[in-house]
Amino acid sequence: MAQFFEILYWVAMVGMSVVLAGTTILVCALGFKFIKDRRRVLGASCIAFSFGAAALIVFMINYKFIIPA
């Protein structure tokens, strides 16, 4: 049973990473759309937020998958 929950844990971690990366890409694309629609401050804020979120996602992937604690 413990092995089953370990498998569920890793499926959840991979799924969460994929969803977070997809959401970050969508927010970045939305930022470019806002810039195109002449809402420059809102667009720049969306792009800056997506870069920050991407950095946190890379940190999470490195911490959980590449360099396990």
Side-chain angles (χ1 to χ4, degrees), residues 13 16-25 47-66:
M13 285 298 295
M16 181 180 65
S17 298
V18 169
V19 168
L20 285 173
T23 304
T24 302
I25 291 169
I47 293 171
F49 176 80
S50 66
F51 283 147
L56 289 174
I57 291 168
V58 167
F59 176 72
M60 180 188 69
I61 289 172
N62 283 337
Y63 184 73
K64 281 294 180 187
F65 297 115
I66 297 174

Side-chain angles (χ1 to χ4, degrees), residues 17-54:
S17 298
V18 169
V19 168
L20 285 173
T23 304
T24 302
I25 291 169
L26 288 176
V27 168
C28 187
L30 186 64
F32 284 114
K33 182 182 178 295
F34 282 147
I35 288 176
K36 184 180 172 187
D37 291 341
R38 298 189 128 340
R39 299 179 191 168
R40 289 189 171 89
V41 175
L42 185 58
S45 299
C46 286
I47 293 171
F49 176 80
S50 66
F51 283 147

